Amino acid sequence: MHRSIKPLAWCAALAVLAGVFMLYTRPEFLVDMANQLWACF
């Protein structure tokens, strides 16, 4: 069982990194996120 979890964890981590990279290629998303974070303060 331990042996089959490691590749799944690597795939999940790579998917998350790819998703974050895709969001950084969209400047309007970053502006919206910055505005939402600023609104919290």
Side-chain angles (χ1 to χ4, degrees), residues 7-38:
L8 288 176
W10 274 108
C11 288
L14 287 175
V16 168
L17 287 176
V20 169
F21 178 75
M22 292 300 289
L23 290 176
Y24 272 101
T25 60
R26 296 174 50 193
E28 68 275 4
F29 171 78
L30 288 178
V31 172
D32 287 341
M33 190 167 65
N35 286 335
Q36 289 176 7
L37 285 173
W38 189 252

